Amino acid sequence: MPPALTFDIDRSSPTPLYFQLAGAIESAITAGALPAGSRLDNELLLAEQHGLSRPTVRCAVQELVDKGLLVRKRGVGTQVMQPHVRRSVELTSLYEDLARAGDSPTTTVLSLERVPAPADIAAELGLKEGEEVVVLHRLRGSRGEPLALMTNYLPGRFEPTEEELSERGLYQYLRGRGVHLRVAHQRIGARLARAEEARLLAEPPRAALLTMQRTAFDDRGAPIEFGRHVYRASRYDFETTIVGR
């Protein structure tokens, strides 16, 4: 059964009724009164409970669907979505951003190996082609769900272990080795999921993914890490602040 909730609607307010209802439902989601996966009362019942018209309720629900807070499922009804992870574009790791937001990030190390650097990776890390690099593939999770697939390359002088990478973020590991990261070059894009990516991320085949490539440099300007990551577009987005000149 959907949680029994009541929302205050002020009919004397200049704020549209649908917007008030949408804001009240969003507040209930944020406060945990409507947890992820819970069902919302149907539009007819919501309209009767609050003395609103069905079109007003429909507009409120659609507002939250468009924001990614609710999803309509045939045969199930309207459900609360898992919240998006919103990440500022800063020189931090995903692990740190999730922990700072109060989540409990998890990491599954899919592989960890040492290989000769291909030409493109060598160029990113300022190495000669064929020099040894460490390549690690990890699955990062949040709130019990998979969130991102991450592939990172490090110069061969580093020796991370699976245990270290499972228990903390890559940048925490690097700082523990005396590395001071200062700047990064980053490119964000999008593409469709490949079959194995969709399986690991619990997404349907050819689902939309956000992509990120990043080369991070230390305080001496030396490249330290190159990463290629993909994120579930249904659960993740980047935030930026744009300043006019």
Side-chain angles (χ1 to χ4, degrees):
M1 291 287 295
L5 299 173
T6 58
F7 305 114
D8 293 327
I9 303 297
D10 182 1
R11 287 172 171 76
S12 65
S13 170
T15 303
L17 297 179
Y18 87 90
F19 198 77
Q20 290 187 51
L21 181 59
I25 296 172
E26 181 173 356
S27 295
I29 294 172
T30 303
L34 281 172
S38 61
R39 288 190 297 117
L40 201 66
D41 286 326
N42 65 53
E43 292 175 4
L44 179 59
L45 185 55
L46 282 172
E48 292 176 350
Q49 288 172 343
H50 302 289
L52 300 171
S53 67
R54 287 191 68 182
T56 295
V57 172
R58 188 175 300 116
C59 286
V61 171
Q62 188 60 50
E63 176 84 6
L64 298 175
V65 169
D66 292 343
K67 293 178 74 171
L69 295 175
L70 297 177
V71 61
R72 290 188 174 101
K73 294 185 178 180
R74 186 181 299 276
V76 176
T78 303
Q79 282 187 301
V80 178
M81 289 279 285
Q82 286 281 359
H84 266 235
V85 174
R86 287 183 168 83
R87 183 179 180 189
S88 298
V89 182
E90 303 174 14
L91 187 47
T92 56
S93 70
L94 175 57
Y95 186 98
E96 293 168 332
D97 290 336
L98 291 171
R100 187 169 55 186
D103 292 337
S104 298
T106 59
T107 304
T108 301
V109 179
L110 303 176
S111 66
L112 173 62
E113 55 187 338
R114 309 181 78 85
V115 302
D120 58 336
I121 303 302
E124 293 288 348
L125 293 176
L127 303 174
K128 295 179 181 179
E129 183 177 355
E131 281 192 61
E132 187 177 67
V133 294
V134 179
V135 55
L136 44 136
H137 300 282
R138 294 167 295 157
L139 176 64
R140 177 63 41 77
S142 170
R143 300 175 186 263
E145 288 192 335
L147 179 62
L149 282 169
M150 304 178 294
T151 301
N152 295 82
Y153 300 85
L154 302 172
R157 67 179 181 275
F158 294 105
E159 298 181 340
T161 66
E162 288 194 19
E163 183 178 11
E164 288 173 315
L165 296 172
S166 297
E167 293 179 350
R168 53 182 173 158
L170 177 60
Y171 284 8
Q172 288 176 304
Y173 163 79
L174 290 171
R175 283 195 291 270
R177 296 300 181 275
V179 175
H180 301 284
L181 296 171
R182 284 292 177 265
V183 69
H185 297 160
Q186 182 167 281
R187 183 166 68 248
I188 298 170
R191 63 172 172 79
L192 300 180
R194 300 172 183 129
E196 181 65 4
E197 292 170 338
R199 184 185 70 81
L200 289 169
L201 292 172
E203 288 282 355
R206 295 179 62 78
L209 299 179
L210 291 172
T211 66
M212 183 183 74
Q213 292 191 31
R214 174 190 280 185
T215 305
F217 300 81
D218 66 13
D219 49 7
R220 297 175 300 170
I224 294 296
E225 173 263 337
F226 174 64
R228 288 176 175 149
H229 303 169
V230 294
Y231 305 85
R232 298 174 66 183
S234 63
R235 291 275 289 106
Y236 191 92
D237 52 50
F238 291 97
E239 286 187 345
T240 59
T241 299
I242 301 173
V243 180
R245 294 185 176 182

